[in-house]
Amino acid sequence: MAHAKPGNLTKADTSGAQTTIFSEKIEERRIILIGKLGAGKSHCGNGILGKQFFESRRCWSSVTRQCKYGSATRNKFLYRIYDTPGVNSPEELATSVDVETDIRRCLYCTSPGFHAIVLVLSAAERITKEDMAMLKKLDGLLGESAYKYMILMITKLEDDETVLHEMMTEAPQIVELNVKCRSRRVIFGNDATKIPDACVQKFDKMLTNLIKENANQGSEYYRHKYYDEATKILEKDKSDYLKEYPDTSESVALEIVRNRATEGLSPRDRELRSLNDPNCCTIS
């Protein structure tokens, strides 16, 4: 089952941020949030964590400009959430956000992989050609195996499966996506300030079943095929970190540099970015 992490130690990383490592044995749930600009990924991440961690507001520009990491203990589980920029970020962000590179980097810098890929979809918008292009881009980015780990999260809709079903009958593309995900979907409400508790509970149950099913099949984590290559690069980052913070354990140092690398803060980010293959992802 999911790995346990030691810790309950707060350690300053080289950027001055605080990284929390948990000391008690606790089961992890590792999640990456992916979706269209404005779908509400950051808001959903806050709902899963049970606290306001990711910056979230309704606007017409991308609040999350690069991958962000947050963690929290809730219901005796350690949730590790990775929030990503909108897959179809607008042209005005093109010079500062390379969405595909950011997501790939997040996928192969995160150890040991992800239990779930949460695809966030907004019910407030009609399915457009842009949406279909986004879904096609995700296919190429993540690979067909991703659907084994995917949960659809519907935002900006009251928790009413009848309404969602009616909407889906008018959107065959979403019906097809739902089939690929084996009907793993959850509505996350229409409250801009808080995710309803009942919605979070439904997500927790769905995630638990997904993790058990994949673990029983010997493929608990979705991970990048360049994981080993990325680890070699990050071992160099760890060595540099330990020189600066010699009292840090190797396991804590590696976790810190991995978390920093997912946000593009590795001093060897150019090497990590060079690990690129359109058929990049696999399961382990």
Side-chain angles (χ1 to χ4, degrees), residues 33 42 45-46 49 52-56 68-70 81-83:
L33 301 171
S42 299
N46 291 334
L49 291 176
Q52 293 298 116
F53 185 93
F54 301 111
E55 184 179 1
S56 174
K68 294 293 183 182
Y69 166 75
I81 307 289
Y82 294 80
D83 187 19

Side-chain angles (χ1 to χ4, degrees), residues 60-249:
W60 286 326
S61 62
S62 179
V63 176
T64 304
R65 299 174 70 90
Q66 62 193 60
C67 291
K68 294 293 183 182
Y69 166 75
S71 63
T73 302
R74 182 173 60 79
N75 292 342
K76 299 181 180 180
F77 291 103
L78 169 57
Y79 287 82
R80 297 187 184 274
I81 307 289
Y82 294 80
D83 187 19
T84 66
V87 173
N88 61 324
S89 294
E91 291 183 4
E92 56 101 359
L93 291 178
T95 57
S96 60
V97 176
D98 182 345
V99 173
E100 291 192 37
T101 297
D102 273 10
I103 294 176
R104 282 196 179 101
R105 186 201 290 119
C106 187
L107 289 170
Y108 56 63
C109 288
T110 305
S111 171
F114 291 97
H115 290 111
I117 300 167
V118 174
L119 176 57
V120 182
L121 301 172
S122 169
E125 303 173 12
R126 292 183 177 275
I127 302 300
T128 65
K129 291 182 179 179
E130 183 183 62
D131 295 323
M132 297 313 300
M134 181 270 287
L135 293 175
K136 185 175 181 180
K137 181 179 288 188
L138 282 177
D139 272 341
L141 182 66
L142 301 173
E144 190 69 23
S145 64
Y147 294 108
K148 184 176 179 180
Y149 301 84
M150 189 172 289
I151 295 174
L152 301 182
M153 186 167 283
I154 314 301
T155 62
K156 304 176 185 178
L157 180 69
E158 296 299 330
D159 189 13
D160 189 333
E161 277 287 335
T162 301
V163 174
L164 178 59
H165 178 73
E166 292 174 354
M167 293 178 64
M168 290 177 64
T169 60
E170 300 176 358
Q173 305 93 337
I174 302 301
V175 172
E176 181 181 355
L177 185 61
N178 182 62
V179 171
K180 287 184 176 181
C181 296
R182 300 180 184 178
S183 297
R184 287 188 297 267
R185 65 176 188 267
V186 60
I187 301 171
F188 246 34
N190 195 28
D191 188 334
T193 59
K194 185 181 185 299
I195 307 297
D197 291 340
C199 296
V200 177
Q201 290 169 9
K202 289 178 184 178
F203 172 76
D204 287 345
K205 182 177 180 180
M206 190 174 297
L207 178 62
T208 296
N209 292 336
L210 172 64
I211 293 173
K212 287 181 178 179
E213 180 180 342
N214 286 333
N216 288 338
Q217 295 175 1
S219 53
E220 183 174 356
Y221 298 103
Y222 173 91
R223 60 184 283 191
H224 199 287
K225 81 171 188 180
Y226 281 136
Y227 173 83
D228 292 336
E229 288 86 344
T231 296
K232 292 176 182 177
I233 295 172
L234 294 174
E235 284 287 343
K236 299 176 185 177
D237 285 4
K238 183 190 74 173
S239 178
D240 291 346
Y241 187 91
L242 288 171
K243 289 177 182 177
E244 187 170 357
Y245 301 96
D247 294 334
T248 308
S249 71

Side-chain angles (χ1 to χ4, degrees), residues 14 105 109 230-245 250 252-262 264-272:
T14 53
R105 186 201 290 119
C109 288
T231 296
K232 292 176 182 177
I233 295 172
L234 294 174
E235 284 287 343
K236 299 176 185 177
D237 285 4
K238 183 190 74 173
S239 178
D240 291 346
Y241 187 91
L242 288 171
K243 289 177 182 177
E244 187 170 357
Y245 301 96
E250 291 202 9
V252 169
L254 184 57
E255 182 166 354
I256 289 172
V257 299
R258 280 191 183 278
N259 290 340
R260 296 184 73 245
T262 63
L265 299 176
S266 165
R268 296 173 175 83
D269 187 57
R270 182 172 294 183
E271 291 182 61
L272 292 170

